[in-house]
Amino acid sequence: MTNQLSFEVQNDNGEVIGVVSDIVLDLEALEIAYVVIELNADGRLVAVPLSEVQIQAAGMAASDDMDDDEDEDEDADDSQDGSMAVDHIFVVTADGQMLADAPDFDTSAVPQLGDEAADWDADLQAYWSGEAAAEGDADETATPTAEATEADDDGEEAMTGELVGVALASDLIGLTVNGTDGNAMSSIADAILNHESGAIEYFVLTASAEANAEATLTPVPPSAFGWDGEADVLVLTVEQNVFAAAPSLPSGQYPDLTQDGWDSGFADYWRGY
């Protein structure tokens, strides 16, 4: 995911229209909710929903055809016999005018990690679905304010056993992860997102919560996490010995995530957690 925060953004004509500024992750649906783009034209930040974005190999024209998907897979296969991986970009498939007229996005409006996030993006959903324009309310589709998304402290609960709400990708990186004993045991170094669906497949954890622990990186599925509302912290809900024995990325190197079965060893180990 950290590499995607530097992705170039193109339109479906192959023109560079901006760069990725951040990504809003839906922690309940476990997928990308919005890609936050800094537009080249005016420097504004806009949030584009996953439905209007594709992740593609650089240089490949945007298309929904299966043939194009097969070509991308072939390109990824070709990269295996060399040291150079396939570069990817975000392609916005939305109409150019829709993108130009999209409301400014304020990242501070994203609810705090662990807070309920129902309807926080109602205005954005209305804009991108066309409902606001149909009702003549296009001028009222400004991005939600931070005040509008503040959670009631009385609504906080103890550990839920599942993830809730939304989060900016930039806020997740470096986030401390506690163990079931309440002590810090790790931190999030990255997340692995499915290149086709945008689904969150793994959070990549450091070997410990220490700052010098980046050498060993362990992918852990989202199902193994919960949120402790009282301590306001992310919790790995498996025992320390389970985490310690989990397969890690060799020397911190990522495999080619476009290849089928790249995570078979990780998936087999974490099955049932």
Side-chain angles (χ1 to χ4, degrees):
M1 177 181 70
T2 52
N3 69 318
Q4 294 172 353
L5 294 179
S6 62
F7 273 11
E8 187 176 81
V9 181
Q10 297 183 4
N11 60 20
D12 55 9
N13 292 322
E15 301 167 329
V16 178
I17 58 173
V19 295
V20 175
S21 174
D22 215 327
I23 297 174
V24 182
L25 299 174
D26 185 329
L27 298 181
E28 296 181 27
L30 296 177
E31 65 180 11
I32 295 173
Y34 296 93
V35 178
V36 183
I37 301 171
E38 180 179 348
L39 297 176
N40 287 346
D42 52 20
R44 293 189 306 121
L45 294 183
V46 297
V48 181
L50 179 63
S51 60
E52 303 290 345
V53 176
Q54 295 177 2
I55 303 176
Q56 297 181 351
M60 188 179 79
S63 173
D64 292 329
D65 295 338
M66 289 300 295
D67 288 343
D68 288 344
D69 289 337
E70 291 172 359
D71 289 342
E72 182 176 353
D73 289 340
E74 290 173 5
D75 289 341
D77 290 338
D78 291 341
S79 72
Q80 292 305 293
D81 55 10
S83 60
M84 187 166 57
V86 177
D87 289 330
H88 285 78
I89 56 172
F90 280 112
V91 176
V92 176
T93 58
D95 175 80
Q97 195 59 52
M98 279 287 289
L99 186 63
D101 293 341
D104 293 353
F105 185 70
D106 180 4
T107 56
S108 68
V110 177
Q112 293 295 306
L113 186 64
D115 288 347
E116 294 292 339
D119 298 328
W120 77 273
D121 60 341
D123 290 340
L124 284 172
Q125 290 189 41
Y127 177 80
W128 287 105
S129 67
E131 293 176 4
E135 295 171 3
D137 295 331
D139 292 336
E140 299 179 10
T141 58
T143 192
T145 63
E147 290 79 7
T149 57
E150 289 180 353
D152 185 352
D153 290 340
D154 294 336
E156 289 188 354
E157 301 177 353
M159 195 176 65
T160 62
E162 60 184 18
L163 300 177
V164 297
V166 297
L168 288 170
S170 58
D171 287 342
L172 283 180
I173 305 304
L175 187 71
T176 297
V177 178
N178 278 8
T180 53
D181 60 1
N183 295 320
M185 65 177 293
S186 183
S187 64
I188 295 180
D190 207 342
I192 296 176
L193 308 178
N194 186 288
H195 280 89
E196 294 183 356
S197 67
I200 305 171
E201 297 186 331
Y202 297 93
F203 291 116
V204 181
L205 302 187
T206 58
S208 75
E210 299 298 325
N212 61 353
E214 289 87 0
T216 301
L217 300 178
T218 303
V220 181
S223 58
F225 294 87
W227 181 259
D228 186 338
E230 292 182 352
D232 204 29
V233 68
L234 192 66
V235 176
L236 186 60
T237 58
V238 300
E239 296 300 323
Q240 173 69 38
N241 64 315
V242 174
F243 173 62
S248 59
L249 298 171
S251 302
Q253 298 299 309
Y254 287 80
D256 185 346
L257 305 180
T258 65
Q259 296 298 295
D260 291 338
W262 72 265
D263 67 335
S264 58
F266 302 112
D268 289 345
Y269 181 84
W270 289 106
R271 188 169 289 112
Y273 289 103

